[in-house]
Amino acid sequence: MCRRGVCELSKRDALLASTEEEIHKVNAPQLSPHLVLLLAVVCGLAAANLYYVQPVLADIGHEFAVSVNQVGVLATLSQLGYAVGLLLIIPLGDRYNRRTLIVTMLVAVTVALIAMALAPTLMFLSIASFAVGVTTVVPQLVVPLAASLARPQERGRVVGTVMSGLLIGILLARTVSGVLAAHLGWRTVYWVAAGLMVLLALILRFLLPLDRPQSDMSYTQLLRSLWSLVKSEPVLRETSVFGALGFAAFSAFWATLSFRLQTPPFHYGSEVAGLFGLVGVVGALAASFIGRLADKVNPRKTIGIGLLILLASFGIFWLTGQYLWGLIIGVILLDLGAQANQISNQARVYSLNPAARSRLNTIYMVSYFIGGSLGSFLGTYGWDFAGWFGVCCVGLLFLLLALAVYMLNSRRTQAASR
């Protein structure tokens, strides 16, 4: 026997969503190129809140006179908070109007960012960092909205475009944070971020279209249905594993880059660490192309390619990480591989149940950021234990595990088709 509400998931979703074509007929006129661009910008600016901390970890450590492990927990807490926010807030996107949710969360994250700017102690800063993570969920409300508004045959392209904005925002966040911190102090970063969130809330309140809720489930039923979706969707389970392990390796690198650049032979500060975000934009610009490719070929293939590119990037970090050019080449490959993995995973996820896109995205992204928080933690631990060699080992182990799962599932699929 299933719990009430969860057992009726498919019936309710089918009734409310009807068909993909009917959903598109209702929403398609709202998806103009200008709206796609706006959604991309919103995703980039909102997602940046989670990553401002990475280039300034060393500066924060110096101000509060704490060790690498102690200050490194800030990146871990923000990503754990993000996973919590995804789990508890994003499912509401299937039940309520997403414009209202988006504006509300922008106001909430503004408060959390101001708390970061005013933090008097490391403990207060840690709590504020977790709060920033919980409230920085706007991109994961926006991406399913864009996927719902897009035609099925162009969904990969639209998601890829929006994700380009998100990922470029993530990378430029490191650049902006590093430069501002170097000249005006790390607290200025969070004052500027809070101001941007207020501006976004005002713009979206008037420009973002209303969308139709896809489910009439209660909040508790929505949360219970998450497990039902996990059990019923093998593609969702597989993409969640690939996303988590790929992002774990990605986070292990970025959480430790500022420490690496402050040691011999570099001796650079937060400004140079932030400028590495500009290098990563080269890879991020490939997101739209990857999205188009995912529309034409099996996106599982591009996931495999992305994981191999990520593996190659850590091989370069290991072999040439003592040279600046080695780090630059590695970062380009790292972000390119991360894009291929993420866009292709989301293309697969959004091709599933159209009435449950917010919940499907919740499950995928919770797994993704649990992986990211684990990568940040083990990356800083690897740095503290064995320096740059330890960081590279952490990243390589995550990616080898992901490729092992990929190959194992490929063999099972081939065996089942015979």
Side-chain angles (χ1 to χ4, degrees), residues 32 104 169 210 224 310 364 378:
S32 66
T104 300
L210 293 169
R224 288 173 181 172
L310 284 169
Y364 172 73
L378 292 181

Side-chain angles (χ1 to χ4, degrees), residues 250-262:
F250 183 88
S251 298
F253 169 81
W254 282 108
T256 55
L257 178 62
S258 64
F259 303 124
R260 174 60 177 146
L261 291 175
Q262 287 195 346

Side-chain angles (χ1 to χ4, degrees), residues 184-354:
L184 300 173
W186 65 267
R187 294 179 187 273
T188 302
V189 174
Y190 290 98
W191 284 116
V192 172
L196 288 173
M197 294 306 100
V198 172
L199 181 62
L200 279 185
L202 292 173
I203 292 173
L204 295 184
R205 174 62 183 83
F206 297 102
L207 296 184
L208 197 63
L210 293 169
D211 70 308
R212 186 180 67 181
Q214 301 296 322
S215 176
D216 64 353
M217 288 176 143
S218 69
Y219 181 60
T220 55
Q221 288 172 338
L222 286 171
L223 293 181
R224 288 173 181 172
S225 71
L226 295 176
W227 180 240
S228 178
L229 288 169
V230 171
K231 292 191 295 182
S232 64
E233 299 288 358
V235 170
L236 177 62
R237 295 195 298 271
E238 183 182 58
T239 54
S240 295
V241 171
F242 295 151
L245 293 174
F247 192 52
F250 183 88
S251 298
F253 169 81
W254 282 108
T256 55
L257 178 62
S258 64
F259 303 124
R260 174 60 177 146
L261 291 175
Q262 287 195 346
T263 59
F266 301 112
H267 302 290
Y268 294 131
S270 60
E271 185 172 12
V272 173
L275 288 174
F276 266 81
L278 292 176
V279 176
V281 170
V282 175
L285 290 173
S288 183
F289 167 76
I290 294 166
R292 291 189 180 93
L293 185 63
D295 284 334
K296 297 177 181 178
V297 303
N298 185 347
R300 193 175 189 276
K301 293 182 179 179
T302 52
I303 291 171
I305 294 171
L307 292 174
L308 287 172
I309 295 173
L310 284 169
L311 186 70
S313 71
F314 272 90
I316 290 173
F317 290 144
W318 191 352
L319 297 173
T320 64
Q322 69 273 30
Y323 305 109
L324 194 60
W325 61 264
L327 292 177
I328 291 173
I329 293 173
V331 166
I332 292 172
L333 291 177
L334 180 75
D335 285 288
L336 178 60
Q339 297 298 354
N341 186 38
Q342 175 74 334
I343 299 300
S344 302
N345 278 327
Q346 289 193 299
R348 295 183 79 196
V349 169
Y350 293 142
S351 69
L352 302 175
N353 188 346

